[in-house]
Amino acid sequence: MTTSEQDEGYGVLGATSFERSRQRTGVPQRLRPPHITEVHVDATRHFAYGYGDDNPLYSDADYARKTRWGSLIAPPNFLYCMGESASGDPTPEQRALLKGDPFAGLGSYQAAMEFEYYRPLREGDRCRMIRAQVGVQEKASKFGGRTAHVTNDFLFANGDGEVVAIQRGTWINAERHATKTSTTKDPVTFEPYTDDQLAEIDAAYDAEVRRGALTRYFEDVEVGEEIQPRVKGPITVTDIVVWHAGWGMQLTPPGAFGISRRVRRKAPGLYPKNGRNIPDTVQRLHWEPERARELGIPMSYDYGAMRETWLTHALTDWMGDDGWLFRLRCEHRKFNYLGDTTWVRGKVVDKVQVDGRNEVHLELSCTNQRGETTTPGTAVVLLPTRQGPVELPAPPADDLEALLALEIERHA
């Protein structure tokens, strides 16, 4: 037996875990039933309201029909809610490769997410998806000691087979004991807010302005220009509940009581017992501080996907109905704890014309009330000119299978 094999076990990173993970590259993964199967005004409204966005493009079909899109469209991040399998049933060999989790027992934290959007999902659209791992890397990190960085692609097409978007996500898998050691070195305090601080937050909410139907032209944008900030917080358990109403559960399959029992029979690890010895979802660390502390985290915290929607909200409000969010990339570097307030800011750093596209490049940030940048990001927004509207970008492949092959080659 090798040293690495002796050292490996549940919740421990070793050579065998990395090899098992690498063998999964390009193998389409089985998908849970999506939270939403068809774009509908109620679904898009609930999702957008869950991150604080009342843009009528997503919630008012009559308004949306009068825009350049001609119908209600889904918010960019609505893809999280959709995605029926486009890859069919796995072969026996694929099922064997996908059985179990090579990194079982480790803490898993979303580190970075990247999106490219090629066309909108419209009212009535269904959505098909291929999800597959495209790479895994071993990295050292002071956050969690030895870590495995796993990159998965989520490739989306509409019901007609047209490529809609690419989502590339990287998760850090870290040994729990290393995470506990790291977090205890950097204690966080949670001071009560003063009335003046809360008044400042409320004033920012009251000052929010959406560009909407007032077209923002490429010619009028200046490098160095800042977008109007957005504030999100102080985040509460109620905000997490409202977020789940639109987003779904994602990790733990939806359903209560007998339905969750049937899931728990198959995957008991998704339901660790609470302090009263009752099995409950692993996701409760996002609203149950006691569970977070058990895992070495000082307080419950948000989901990375929430911050992605906050960045999107700031961008879509700034660009207006006639703009198009082409690319968004962000890295989640710090936890955003319950009670934290996040200020979302952006700045134009470049504007270029490429292949007929009028691109505005922006730097973005999510910064908490302690002055810490929790999520830096970048974006590319396409804007119309006075000579013509935005032309949607062409996807790099015409179907999801060809797109997956390109993505594996790109990552390698």
Side-chain angles (χ1 to χ4, degrees):
M1 181 178 291
T2 66
T3 301
S4 62
E5 288 172 332
Q6 289 175 335
D7 290 342
E8 288 184 46
Y10 183 82
V12 178
L13 274 173
T16 302
S17 297
F18 283 99
E19 181 57 29
R20 284 185 60 205
S21 181
R22 290 188 180 100
Q23 290 174 357
R24 298 179 170 205
T25 298
V27 179
Q29 300 171 16
R30 297 185 68 176
L31 304 178
R32 300 182 184 91
H35 184 53
I36 303 296
T37 57
E38 184 175 308
V39 178
H40 183 273
V41 63
D42 289 335
T44 54
R45 183 179 68 251
H46 288 315
F47 179 78
Y49 279 26
Y51 64 90
D53 186 355
D54 58 359
N55 191 329
L57 270 179
Y58 317 137
S59 57
D60 185 334
D62 291 336
Y63 174 93
R65 277 192 285 271
K66 299 172 186 175
T67 69
R68 68 151 291 180
W69 308 108
S71 70
L72 180 135
I73 61 174
N77 306 88
F78 190 72
L79 293 169
Y80 269 120
C81 301
M82 302 193 75
E84 298 167 272
S85 178
S87 55
D89 294 331
T91 66
E93 293 79 10
Q94 289 174 332
R95 280 197 293 269
L97 286 173
L98 296 174
K99 186 176 181 180
D101 181 357
F103 305 113
L106 302 176
S108 183
Y109 310 97
Q110 189 187 105
M113 198 62 75
E114 183 177 346
F115 303 86
E116 289 185 6
Y117 298 105
Y118 302 106
R119 54 173 52 86
L121 285 171
R122 301 175 181 274
E123 188 171 20
D125 272 351
R126 296 179 78 95
C127 183
R128 302 176 70 220
M129 177 175 74
I130 292 178
R131 171 179 174 167
Q133 180 177 301
V134 295
V136 59
Q137 293 178 304
E138 180 178 348
K139 291 187 177 183
S141 169
K142 74 174 184 178
F143 166 74
R146 189 183 188 194
T147 60
H149 290 230
V150 178
T151 300
N152 288 293
D153 266 17
F154 306 75
L155 311 177
F156 298 91
N158 61 23
D160 295 326
E162 299 170 316
V163 174
V164 169
I166 300 172
Q167 178 183 350
R168 306 180 184 102
T170 299
W171 280 261
I172 297 175
N173 297 273
E175 295 174 355
R176 293 284 192 189
H177 67 83
T179 304
K180 291 181 181 181
T181 301
S182 177
T183 54
T184 54
K185 288 181 179 178
D186 185 22
V188 179
T189 58
F190 302 99
E191 301 295 333
Y193 284 82
T194 66
D195 290 342
D196 287 343
Q197 288 171 325
L198 293 175
E200 179 187 5
I201 294 167
D202 286 344
Y205 282 128
D206 295 342
E208 288 184 358
V209 176
R210 182 188 311 110
R211 186 77 177 186
L214 180 61
T215 301
R216 186 180 295 280
Y217 291 106
F218 180 76
E219 297 93 329
D220 297 338
V221 174
E222 297 183 0
V223 174
E225 176 180 338
E226 295 185 356
I227 70 175
Q228 187 189 42
R230 287 289 175 269
V231 64
K232 302 291 182 179
I235 189 168
T236 65
V237 171
T238 303
D239 295 319
I240 301 291
V241 171
V242 174
W243 163 256
H244 273 293
W247 188 57
M249 287 301 291
Q250 303 292 325
L251 179 58
T252 308
F257 305 117
I259 297 173
S260 66
R261 165 58 184 152
R262 290 191 285 275
V263 175
R264 182 159 48 87
R265 275 205 309 265
K266 295 180 180 179
L270 289 177
Y271 296 85
K273 293 181 178 179
N274 63 20
R276 297 182 62 189
N277 202 39
I278 302 168
D280 197 1
T281 173
V282 293
Q283 291 178 258
R284 71 179 190 268
L285 86 164
H286 290 286
W287 57 83
E288 187 179 288
E290 293 79 9
R291 177 60 179 166
R293 286 192 286 269
E294 287 175 7
L295 300 175
I297 302 165
M299 175 61 74
S300 296
Y301 58 95
D302 68 344
Y303 291 92
M306 294 181 76
R307 272 176 269 175
E308 293 154 22
T309 61
W310 299 347
L311 292 167
T312 299
H313 184 193
L315 289 165
T316 53
D317 274 5
W318 175 79
M319 71 189 191
D321 296 347
D322 297 318
W324 179 253
L325 177 58
F326 179 25
R327 292 192 176 107
L328 173 65
R329 185 185 189 282
C330 58
E331 298 180 1
H332 304 303
R333 296 183 178 176
K334 286 182 176 289
F335 291 121
N336 184 36
Y337 298 109
L338 287 186
D340 279 358
T341 298
T342 297
W343 298 84
V344 183
R345 297 183 173 91
K347 181 179 180 180
V348 175
V349 295
D350 200 5
K351 51 182 293 191
V352 295
Q353 294 180 301
V354 182
D355 298 330
R357 301 190 301 266
N358 306 302
E359 297 186 355
V360 177
H361 295 224
L362 300 102
E363 289 183 352
L364 310 166
S365 66
C366 292
T367 305
N368 64 25
Q369 76 278 10
R370 291 179 289 274
E372 301 166 325
T373 298
T374 59
T375 298
T378 58
V380 177
V381 168
L382 308 184
L383 291 179
T385 67
R386 288 183 170 81
Q387 284 69 49
V390 167
E391 292 187 14
L392 295 179
D398 293 331
D399 60 73
L400 296 186
E401 290 78 11
L403 188 57
L404 177 58
L406 285 176
E407 284 290 291
I408 293 171
E409 181 180 355
R410 173 184 178 274
H411 192 86

